[in-house]
Amino acid sequence: MTGLDRPRRLRRTPAMRRLVAETTLEPRQLVLPMFVADGLEEPRAISSMPGVLQHSMDSLRKAAVEAVTAGVGGLMLFGVPRHEDKDATGSQASDPDGILNRGLRALADEVGDSTVIMADTCLDEFTDHGHCGVLGPDGSVDNDATLHRYVEMALAQAAAGADLLGTSGMMDGQVGAIRRGLDAVGRTDTGILAYAAKYASAFYGPFREAVASSLEGDRRSYQQDPANRREAIRELQLDLAEGADIVMVKPAMSYLDILRDVADHSTVPVAAYQISGEYAMITAAAERGWIDRRGAILESLMGIRRAGADIVLTYWATEAAHWLS
């Protein structure tokens, strides 16, 4: 057995494994997605995402402080308007008094510059048809009319205190339109977190409950086809050329190959979103005793980091940050 190559020497003890670890997982690399719902006095549970809440304004502030204290790198906020406030153009999205913009101001007031405040810059929560943009006469999403609404939404979010705007709608030219709109009014310091590769996934289901989505049909005419890999790099290159500050892949779990491709080609930081369906699957299996919950959560996050994500959006951000601290 002399001369045998023995890689196990570097796995022998926890100290040795820590010394040679190739990938790290730290609280600062995690971002917590949060939901704030209009008209709530108390937080409301989301049945398909046990442990995740639609927040009232008060509980939003408290959860934000807990996350920041745990060391998470950022907060991504989604707004949930009342059903009667939705309309065809998602007017609540750009209303300074709309629920999302009120929530952003609350976060800015509560945690300030101690974390990075991010906003979902998309219309789907606010439209009565549930699509991510304005519909044309034929019922399809009108790309260029939607860009106009995105700019209005972006300006309202920047004024409310968002540091980064999450362009999740997958409209052609959305990053460039928002960048020009921000720069035109002097908002040159507001950054863009571009959803460069966002796929039409079956794993978004629980999120639809979380935002009380009104969607009928699907979003396959604007989100990417799960069959396509090269297309993600085309989208990445366009977003970079239009001024993206950070790019993101969504979902994470079923698209780790895409994440690796994007990380290999990107000149800016890369994020990945561990989405609602991923959260729900691990949670359900752990509740049934089929997997070790903590181990599965940390392993899944490490896998996303190993595939190339500098930043991971996860509903476990605060809890994982406590474990890692």
Side-chain angles (χ1 to χ4, degrees):
M1 298 295 285
T2 57
L4 181 68
D5 197 355
R6 295 182 183 273
R8 285 182 56 192
R9 293 189 189 106
L10 300 185
R11 306 172 196 150
R12 190 173 60 85
T13 66
M16 185 67 77
R17 294 191 293 273
R18 183 174 63 247
L19 177 67
V20 302
E22 300 173 27
T23 306
T24 61
L25 183 60
E26 305 171 30
R28 68 176 182 85
Q29 298 160 339
L30 306 178
V31 171
L32 177 66
M34 308 179 77
F35 305 98
V36 60
D38 206 357
L40 291 188
E41 296 297 327
E42 298 291 336
R44 180 164 55 204
I46 300 168
S47 64
S48 56
M49 300 175 68
V52 180
L53 304 171
Q54 288 181 345
H55 284 288
S56 67
M57 206 62 72
D58 286 343
S59 69
L60 177 73
R61 290 174 177 270
K62 293 176 183 177
V65 169
E66 181 185 1
V68 171
T69 302
V72 302
L75 308 172
M76 170 64 83
L77 189 62
F78 297 85
V80 185
R82 291 174 295 197
H83 182 76
E84 59 268 27
D85 291 332
K86 297 182 181 185
D87 58 31
T89 62
S91 59
Q92 272 272 308
S94 52
D95 184 342
D97 293 322
I99 183 57
L100 179 52
N101 295 317
R102 296 200 327 263
L104 290 169
R105 286 196 297 273
L107 291 181
D109 290 344
E110 192 68 38
V111 298
D113 292 333
S114 60
T115 194
V116 179
I117 298 171
M118 309 176 187
D120 179 52
T121 310
C122 192
L123 293 171
D124 58 315
E125 296 100 310
F126 301 94
T127 56
D128 53 14
H129 47 74
H131 278 286
C132 298
V134 179
L135 300 185
D138 63 353
S140 65
V141 175
D142 184 326
N143 191 94
D144 295 357
T146 298
L147 295 185
H148 178 71
R149 290 291 297 125
Y150 283 0
V151 173
E152 293 176 334
M153 188 177 187
L155 295 178
Q157 292 175 342
D163 300 305
L164 286 172
L165 307 182
T167 56
S168 63
M170 290 303 290
M171 295 297 123
D172 294 338
Q174 61 186 8
V175 172
I178 290 172
R179 184 72 272 158
R180 290 189 297 272
L182 291 169
D183 290 354
V185 297
R187 294 279 181 185
T188 56
D189 288 340
T190 303
I192 296 176
L193 168 58
Y195 286 57
K198 182 179 179 181
Y199 284 83
S201 172
F203 293 101
Y204 295 139
F207 182 88
R208 305 272 166 84
E209 178 193 353
V211 297
S213 174
S214 301
L215 180 66
E216 294 183 6
D218 60 51
R219 298 182 174 128
R220 295 182 182 275
S221 68
Y222 44 102
Q223 294 178 354
Q224 286 178 253
D225 186 340
N228 292 348
R229 182 172 180 174
R230 289 191 299 267
E231 184 182 43
I233 301 305
R234 183 185 184 191
E235 293 280 7
L236 166 68
Q237 291 169 342
L238 289 168
D239 283 353
L240 292 175
E242 292 174 22
D245 298 286
I246 300 173
V247 294
M248 185 150 71
V249 175
K250 182 180 181 180
M253 177 187 69
S254 298
Y255 297 87
L256 295 179
D257 58 329
I258 307 299
L259 176 56
R260 183 69 265 165
D261 289 347
V262 168
D264 287 343
H265 288 85
S266 180
T267 56
V268 300
V270 176
Y273 199 142
Q274 186 180 51
I275 65 169
S276 60
E278 300 169 58
Y279 176 95
M281 287 191 300
I282 291 175
T283 299
E287 285 178 342
R288 287 158 176 78
W290 294 343
I291 58 174
D292 172 65
R293 180 178 180 275
R294 176 168 170 167
I297 291 169
L298 292 176
E299 184 178 338
S300 68
L301 294 173
M302 186 67 79
I304 297 167
R305 285 276 297 123
R306 189 182 63 244
D310 304 294
I311 301 161
V312 183
L313 279 73
T314 175
Y315 299 100
W316 286 301
T318 302
E319 187 174 14
H322 283 302
W323 294 339
L324 296 167
S325 296

